[in-house]
Amino acid sequence: MAIDKAIWSKITLVDGDITKQNVDAIVNAANHTLLGGGGVDGAIHRAAGPELLAECRTLGGCATGSAKLTKGYRLPAKYVIHAVGPVYNDGHHGEPERLAGCYRTAMDLANQHGCTSIAFAAISCGVYGYPIADAARIALTSVAEKLAAGGSVEEARFVLFGQPVFGQFQAVLDELAGV
Ligand code: AR6
């Protein structure tokens, strides 16, 4: 599906810390237990406080390629959407579909909760080992398609931790948006 230029302008990239983002929902790169971990998951749980883990315990985990929503507690964001990305093997074991599923489900949940702004971490781009440029293409395309389909979300921000990941997302976004 061809994405209109106006849609790409709703996507922004920042080099920063997702726990500091003043948006309606932030999207965590969680694991299937939803009981916390390292990386961005650990940072979000530390910033949100112990009430977040208490709510996560009630959710019964989450399938890879999907996501579940909680409140944001002590975070500036009202909600945390916990997405479970795939561990990268070779790209031929359902990883692209599962990674896209994370972003699509997160956008659906944000729209269902009336969010106007959402910030994503680079799901699977850390210890799960997804090649960054491939992950960026899937992430940006999946979110753009959901923005094009309509809903409450008007701003989708990708919060990329450090210049190497930021730079690769920027290059892919420029290519997709025809900049
Ligand atoms: N803000 C934004 N991005 C961050 C932050 C932050 N504060 N901290 C790290 N990142 P990872 P995964 C970036 O490993 O690959 C956890 O233990 C990081 O540099 O957190 O999906 C979970 O519990 C990288 O670019 O997530 C799972 O077990 C990106 O966030 C497992 O890791 C994702 O890296 C999930 O692995």
Side-chain angles (χ1 to χ4, degrees):
M1 157 174 147
I3 306 281
D4 195 84
K5 268 224 183 303
I7 296 297
W8 293 113
S9 69
K10 297 182 177 190
I11 296 182
T12 55
L13 309 182
V14 299
D15 179 349
D17 180 349
I18 199 166
T19 66
K20 305 279 198 296
Q21 304 301 309
N22 213 336
V23 288
D24 292 329
I26 63 171
V27 183
N28 183 15
N31 61 66
H32 70 92
T33 70
L34 300 185
L35 297 180
V40 70
D41 196 6
I44 288 171
H45 276 271
R46 277 192 299 278
E51 298 94 335
L52 179 61
L53 181 59
E55 184 175 355
C56 284
R57 284 192 199 286
T58 69
L59 299 177
C62 180
T64 301
S66 191
K68 290 189 178 178
L69 179 141
T70 65
K71 290 188 272 191
Y73 299 98
R74 299 177 200 176
L75 290 162
K78 189 169 176 196
Y79 301 111
V80 180
I81 297 171
H82 306 265
V84 185
V87 176
Y88 189 80
N89 179 350
D90 59 2
H92 298 291
H93 288 78
E95 299 96 324
E97 295 75 17
R98 291 197 179 103
L99 189 60
C102 288
Y103 288 100
R104 292 187 189 123
T105 310
M107 285 293 289
D108 288 345
L109 287 168
N111 281 320
Q112 284 160 19
H113 287 78
C115 298
T116 58
S117 55
I118 186 169
F120 292 94
I123 299 165
S124 289
C125 289
V127 298
Y128 281 3
Y130 217 106
I132 308 296
D134 294 347
R137 185 173 300 276
I138 291 165
L140 293 164
T141 305
S142 305
V143 170
E145 286 173 358
K146 285 290 181 184
L147 288 167
S152 59
V153 176
E154 282 296 329
E155 186 204 348
R157 189 181 304 172
F158 284 83
V159 183
L160 306 157
F161 207 54
Q163 179 56 38
V165 179
F166 177 85
Q168 292 194 70
F169 267 72
Q170 184 71 67
V172 174
L173 179 58
D174 286 351
E175 184 204 318
L176 290 170
V179 173

